[in-house]
Amino acid sequence: MSKDSPAPTPGFLVWRLANKWRVAVDRAVAPLGLTHAQYSVVASLYGMQHAGERPSQRQLADHTGLEALYVSKLARALEAAALVERTRNPRDPRAVQLALTVQGRRVARDAIEVVHELLGQLLEPLGGLDAERTHAFTDDLTALLGVPLAPPAPHGDHTRRGSP
């Protein structure tokens, strides 16, 4: 972005930040054999298991914001790596429950620690993880994520076009 360019839109900045953070997390967890998406699954499972839950793939998809089909694919890959167990829910044979293996819990703890340190670095411009600006930023992001998406407009009925 040159200084002669128009000011970036908030959507463009969120998109750029999301990509920057995804790449940073990918690089940080790669030595543990994980991708950013796999990290999202194992870290979420770790927290959910710690709270006494054994979520279904659907519940984990809802929790992470990932598509259920993608969570299923990630869970199968993590199962092949001996990090996740996938079992049928005894109350609903269509549902697959997920749990971390002993090795999965160990990898998840290590990955959470690595990503926590990374987030401290990434949030340093706001004062670090515990800074007031970081808490306000988190509140703003939470508010934005809470806005429901309107149904898509019919093709050709877009009133404004622009970058993300």
Side-chain angles (χ1 to χ4, degrees), residues 112-161:
I112 290 166
E113 185 177 315
V114 165
V115 171
H116 186 77
E117 289 175 25
L118 174 64
L119 288 177
Q121 294 171 20
L122 293 171
L123 292 167
E124 192 56 41
L126 300 180
L129 281 167
D130 295 322
E132 188 176 317
R133 285 183 66 198
T134 299
H135 292 294
F137 179 59
T138 302
D139 291 344
D140 289 343
L141 291 172
T142 302
L144 293 172
L145 287 169
V147 174
L149 294 177
H155 185 68
D157 194 23
H158 299 284
T159 56
R160 183 175 164 195
R161 292 183 184 244

Side-chain angles (χ1 to χ4, degrees), residues 10-158:
F12 179 75
L13 293 173
V14 168
W15 177 72
R16 289 277 315 266
L17 182 61
N19 282 317
K20 177 181 178 175
W21 284 27
R22 182 193 49 78
V23 168
V25 173
D26 266 334
R27 289 178 181 158
V29 298
L32 298 169
L34 298 173
T35 65
H36 183 267
Q38 290 172 329
Y39 167 75
S40 296
V41 168
V42 298
S44 294
L45 265 176
Y46 185 84
M48 294 171 97
Q49 274 186 237
H50 190 71
E53 298 177 50
R54 186 170 179 144
S56 68
Q57 288 180 166
R58 162 59 49 201
Q59 290 168 318
L60 187 61
D62 291 344
H63 178 81
T64 60
L66 297 170
E67 292 292 327
L69 192 60
Y70 190 42
V71 169
S72 175
K73 179 182 173 185
L74 291 168
R76 282 192 302 274
L78 291 165
E79 180 181 43
L83 300 178
V84 167
E85 294 172 339
R86 298 170 68 242
T87 57
R88 292 279 170 207
N89 182 330
R91 289 172 277 162
D92 181 359
R94 296 169 298 159
V96 175
Q97 290 180 303
L98 301 174
L100 291 170
T101 63
V102 171
Q103 181 183 351
R105 285 191 299 276
R106 190 171 27 253
V107 168
R109 274 192 306 271
D110 291 347
I112 290 166
E113 185 177 315
V114 165
V115 171
H116 186 77
E117 289 175 25
L118 174 64
L119 288 177
Q121 294 171 20
L122 293 171
L123 292 167
E124 192 56 41
L126 300 180
L129 281 167
D130 295 322
E132 188 176 317
R133 285 183 66 198
T134 299
H135 292 294
F137 179 59
T138 302
D139 291 344
D140 289 343
L141 291 172
T142 302
L144 293 172
L145 287 169
V147 174
L149 294 177
H155 185 68
D157 194 23
H158 299 284

